[in-house]
Amino acid sequence: MIKPQVYQSQNTNQTLLFLQRLSVHSSTASLPLWLGSKVQRQKKLNHLVLVSRNVETNSTTTDTHTDKSTVIKVKAIVKVKVTVGGFFSSLRLDRGIDDITDLLGKSLLLELVSSELDPVTGLEKETLKAYAHKAGNGEESVKYEAKFEVPNDFGEIGAVLVENEHHKEMFLETIHLDGFPEGPINFHCASWVHSKFDNPTKRVFFSDKCYLPRETPSGLRRLREEELSHLRGNGEGERKSFERIYDYDIYNDIGDPDKSLELQRPPLGGKERPYPRRCRTGRPHSEADPLSEKRSRNFYVPRDECFSEVKQLTFSTKTLHSVLLILLPTLGKIIKEKELAFSYFHDIDSLFSHGLDLPPEETEKGFLGKIMPRLVKSISGDRTHVLRFETPETMSRDRFFWFRDEEFARQTVAGLNPYSIRLVTEWPLRSKLDPEIYGPPESAITSEIINKEIGGIMSVEKAIEKKKLFMLDYHDILLPYVNKVRKLKGKTLYGSRTLFFLNSEGTLRPLAIELTRPPSSSNNTGQWKQVFTPSWHSTSVWLWRFAKAHVLAHDSGYHQLVSHWLRTHCVTEPYVIATNRQLSELHPIYKLLHPHFRYTMEINAIAREALINADGTIESSFAPGKYSIEISSAAYALEWRFDKQALPADLVSRGMAVKDPFSPHGLKLTIQDYPFANDGLLLWDAIKLWVTDYVNHYYPEPSLVESDEELQAWWTEIRTLGHADKKDEPWWPRLKTPKDLIGILNTIIWVTSGHHAAVNFGQYVYGGYFPNRPTIVRTKMPSEDPTEEEWKKFIANPERALLKCFPSQLQATRVMAVLDILSTHSPDEEYIGEKMEPSWGEDPVIKDAFERFRERLKKLETLIDERNENTKLKNRNGAGIVPYELLKPFSKPGVTGMGVPCSISI
């Protein structure tokens, strides 16, 4: 058996000679300060020289029995990314020790692992070892090199073990082994390697090849299993920042009862409040509430899910973090009166033309301006830095777009939340809630009201038969929270229904809005409900505008809490956790999914820290207030099903399409000009073809899916642990055939790419001018049990009453800042179909399949442009209308409103 060989870099002798000369001829007073006092520095230096001499003696020893003619000389080239942490770490006390480690050529210990077992013993072959020395500095990476002599009978190199000899972690990009007759072997790592002083366990990196579990080379099987075991952890203790452990927990860290009992929030996850699971942090329980987890400044994320220290890494997550933790508190200092309303509409306009002066102490170092150049601008003169918002494209095209009823209706199919509009299939409308608690279930929208609006065209019964009536229905989901929310200062709420009629030209026309308040025993009031319709009388017109504001606030809250947060971010975290716990990096399905999970867990952690947390942006600026996340739990319990997250199934479930084998995509749309569905189905089909090619290549036989133990464990864990509160539901897809797997993967990839892009990147375009989508309404309808004085004020100045109803200045500017960041693509955004993963390039079949996928997406891009120029498609083309580009596959940095990233990156 070949003994392990440890080679020292060629510059070792020069380094040792330098140290020896330094110890003999140099004054110790000139030595680095980190070595301590003059005497201490001399002692430490002598010790280093002694150790170095020993290293030189030991490391140059080789096996004298090795025949040099039977070995292959191989050079390992390791690229390490320059990081922000490394840049600032020049002040660390242990930096000097790491510098000496580099000088000695002992930065990284590499061990080459054979894919084969020893044919004599049947055991793993002993690894070949060598230290890598620092060979060069680049602007973005540092190069390390090591040399090996690999015996001809060693077998194919299947993995490399890495031990980081530094005191600080490093981000390993690639390992390139050059010198083999068959060509180089590549290891794309893209991973943080912890210091051996933090964890003595060596990191393992497998080559770019894919293997199903049963195909794993014998020499790699133990490492494959051990690596998964390390990633699962043991479920004990508080997680450390350098760890890469994935585990599950409930959402019990939204509140902060230790800070104030007013910030106590019930845990989400369990029978009472079902919810997906998040990543376990292991923090201790709160002292004030044993059901809650104690909050801290650091929210654990497995190290490879958080790349924010990489120097080249864009500002996406950093900017969001800065907005939430620095800029938003600064706004509270500028706008000291939290409930202050805008006095006039031109005050709202001034946010885009004039801006808000920022306090000097917040901008003296220019930090906010550098990290948020779109928002924070330097101004010459007395005003050094201002927060000035970009004018949203919707407003720049049509200043009064938000006022128009046709735009209100159009945005239900081509706006920010295209997931709520549904076909009316039953009449009369009725609530499913308990009438003993919430009052009579019959809707106040009667046939007489609808016939008055469309009677000249058709009756309500005919409209339902012809599939012409559609609805936004936030009645039953919101009504249970109305009385709770109304007890909160500066907030009100209703249950709502909004009806639309499909015109002959394919556009929607709003018909009626119903607002409902349930009975309240504490206020001794009965149920109140009223229907509002478009009108040609001033009082009714203004009441209609108020009703629209309430509905838009409901839609904004549902969009943010359900369509966006719950259905993309929240439900995806269990997919990420299960994938890392159960699928080896060698598994082809891991490599397919990995690009679609980039940054998701980090973004979710930031959201728990400062977005959906108690008194965070969502609670303070959205209609449901402190009950916001509870409402997303209610929606998860009542509405979420995995099988309905596929786009075709979602459209059918809402009555927006019917199955039709003779129509494109196998569906016939109820509204033919439905931009989100039209473009989304093309993207869905492109993803499906790519996933089909991929899965069929690795699973040519149906039995291979059912016999893949890693794959089966992955799907079982998603259902029973990640979504534990729904584990017994009968609608979970089975996983027995390649077709089953294709459907599951297609759904997950769609949710993380197309679905998320459709509900995220248009947030500033449609919500940047907040009267178009107010996130909160603070006053009840003027017609709801008004006092004589309240009614007089409304009649005298309805515009001022509407401005008081809208979000306060502080609420509006906070939300606008967050929406700007969430909507903007970052410089390092990876778009779907743009980047070929290294493992795909290793396999010609997969490489060709990906190229076909990329070409389909390019054609989709062109087709969307053509659709937006088609004057017959009135929901995406017309005077002042913003083209629908949310599902165009590609975009540019800093752009809002278009582009489909691979993952839920922000």
Side-chain angles (χ1 to χ4, degrees), residues 49-66:
V49 173
L50 180 61
V51 170
S52 301
R53 287 172 178 163
N54 291 336
V55 168
E56 181 184 23
T57 301
N58 295 334
S59 63
T60 55
T61 302
T62 60
D63 187 350
T64 57
H65 298 288
T66 301

Side-chain angles (χ1 to χ4, degrees), residues 766-781:
Y766 292 102
Y769 187 73
F770 71 84
N772 182 57
R773 289 186 65 81
T775 58
I776 188 172
V777 284
R778 300 183 296 153
T779 60
K780 61 184 178 65
M781 285 294 296

Side-chain angles (χ1 to χ4, degrees), residues 469-515:
L469 275 188
F470 297 84
M471 177 170 59
L472 290 180
D473 187 359
Y474 299 125
H475 186 276
D476 286 9
I477 190 72
L478 294 181
L479 204 64
Y481 293 90
V482 168
N483 288 330
K484 297 178 182 179
V485 170
R486 287 186 165 218
K487 293 177 182 178
L488 304 177
K489 182 181 179 182
K491 291 180 173 64
T492 192
L493 192 64
Y494 295 98
S496 68
R497 296 185 182 98
T498 306
L499 259 62
F500 302 87
F501 178 74
L502 181 62
N503 296 316
S504 58
E505 57 187 9
T507 59
L508 290 172
R509 168 187 163 193
L511 299 179
I513 294 173
E514 177 186 24
L515 299 177

Side-chain angles (χ1 to χ4, degrees), residues 110 185 209 328 368 419 529 579 598 687 763 773 795 882 893:
L110 305 181
I185 302 176
K209 291 186 177 181
L328 298 192
L368 289 176
Y419 273 99
K529 61 177 66 171
T579 299
R598 184 175 182 247
I687 294 171
Q763 291 193 81
R773 289 186 65 81
I795 294 297
V882 174

Side-chain angles (χ1 to χ4, degrees), residues 136-199:
N137 288 331
E139 185 177 342
E140 297 178 355
S141 63
V142 178
K143 184 169 71 172
Y144 292 86
E145 292 183 356
K147 292 185 177 180
F148 293 90
E149 291 185 354
V150 181
N152 279 324
D153 61 353
F154 188 70
E156 183 179 357
I157 308 297
V160 177
L161 301 180
V162 179
E163 182 177 80
N164 177 9
E165 307 298 313
H166 286 183
H167 286 74
K168 185 172 176 61
E169 64 182 359
M170 57 175 62
F171 187 79
L172 205 62
E173 288 188 287
T174 59
I175 301 174
H176 180 82
L177 300 181
D178 196 13
F180 294 102
E182 302 83 4
I185 302 176
N186 296 308
F187 299 77
H188 285 80
C189 310
S191 178
W192 292 96
V193 179
H194 57 259
S195 165
K196 72 174 185 180
F197 301 101
D198 288 329
N199 184 352

Side-chain angles (χ1 to χ4, degrees), residues 559-589:
H559 157 261
Q560 202 64 262
L561 296 167
V562 181
S563 301
H564 184 199
W565 164 254
L566 174 67
R567 292 184 62 181
T568 64
H569 287 262
C570 192
V571 302
T572 297
E573 186 148 339
Y575 308 153
V576 183
I577 297 172
T579 299
N580 283 276
R581 284 168 54 90
Q582 299 298 341
L583 296 181
S584 165
E585 291 183 18
L586 287 168
H587 202 293
I589 302 305

Side-chain angles (χ1 to χ4, degrees), residues 524-794:
N524 197 26
T525 55
Q527 186 192 66
W528 177 91
K529 61 177 66 171
Q530 188 172 350
V531 178
F532 305 88
T533 58
S535 178
W536 287 263
H537 178 263
S538 60
T539 301
S540 297
V541 166
W542 275 102
L543 288 174
W544 169 251
R545 290 169 181 164
F546 271 82
K548 281 202 304 181
H550 280 274
V551 168
L552 287 166
H554 301 165
D555 190 63
S556 294
Y558 187 89
H559 157 261
Q560 202 64 262
L561 296 167
V562 181
S563 301
H564 184 199
W565 164 254
L566 174 67
R567 292 184 62 181
T568 64
H569 287 262
C570 192
V571 302
T572 297
E573 186 148 339
Y575 308 153
V576 183
I577 297 172
T579 299
N580 283 276
R581 284 168 54 90
Q582 299 298 341
L583 296 181
S584 165
E585 291 183 18
L586 287 168
H587 202 293
I589 302 305
Y590 174 92
K591 294 184 183 294
L592 175 67
L593 288 175
H594 185 256
H596 299 284
F597 295 154
R598 184 175 182 247
Y599 299 157
T600 299
M601 291 184 70
E602 182 183 14
I603 293 297
N604 288 1
I606 292 174
R608 300 201 323 268
E609 181 183 5
L611 195 60
I612 64 171
N613 61 304
D615 203 32
T617 299
I618 297 295
E619 283 197 4
S620 62
S621 303
F622 280 73
K626 65 184 287 187
Y627 302 101
S628 294
I629 300 302
E630 280 192 58
I631 288 178
S632 74
S633 171
Y636 178 71
L638 294 170
E639 302 173 1
W640 190 86
R641 295 173 46 154
F642 181 88
D643 61 329
K644 301 300 183 186
Q645 304 313 299
L647 178 59
D650 168 78
L651 293 171
V652 171
S653 70
R654 292 187 285 119
M656 302 305 292
V658 293
K659 293 181 180 180
D660 182 355
F662 303 105
S663 296
H665 323 291
L667 294 178
K668 183 178 180 181
L669 293 177
T670 312
I671 300 177
Q672 294 301 305
D673 183 14
Y674 186 180
F676 160 70
N678 298 133
D679 298 352
L681 286 170
L682 287 173
L683 179 58
W684 169 270
D685 282 353
I687 294 171
K688 185 176 182 179
L689 288 171
W690 155 238
V691 172
T692 300
D693 288 341
Y694 193 96
V695 169
N696 287 339
H697 177 64
Y698 287 105
Y699 296 93
E701 299 295 331
S703 61
L704 295 177
V705 169
E706 200 165 7
S707 63
D708 186 335
E709 61 268 25
E710 285 187 8
L711 190 69
Q712 294 298 326
W714 167 76
W715 185 233
T716 298
E717 187 166 293
I718 285 175
R719 292 182 288 111
T720 61
L721 294 181
H723 289 273
D725 300 328
K726 288 182 174 280
K727 64 179 175 21
D728 297 322
E729 295 288 355
W731 41 253
W732 283 104
R734 65 178 188 171
L735 181 53
K736 292 188 176 182
T737 67
K739 183 179 179 181
D740 299 335
L741 180 58
I742 290 166
I744 291 167
L745 295 173
N746 204 25
T747 297
I748 292 175
I749 294 173
W750 162 257
V751 167
T752 59
S753 56
H755 181 149
H756 181 259
V759 299
N760 182 71
F761 292 103
Q763 291 193 81
Y764 192 73
V765 171
Y766 292 102
Y769 187 73
F770 71 84
N772 182 57
R773 289 186 65 81
T775 58
I776 188 172
V777 284
R778 300 183 296 153
T779 60
K780 61 184 178 65
M781 285 294 296
S783 57
E784 183 198 338
D785 304 330
T787 65
E788 185 176 348
E789 184 64 25
E790 287 172 341
W791 186 254
K792 282 183 178 180
K793 286 184 177 180
F794 163 66

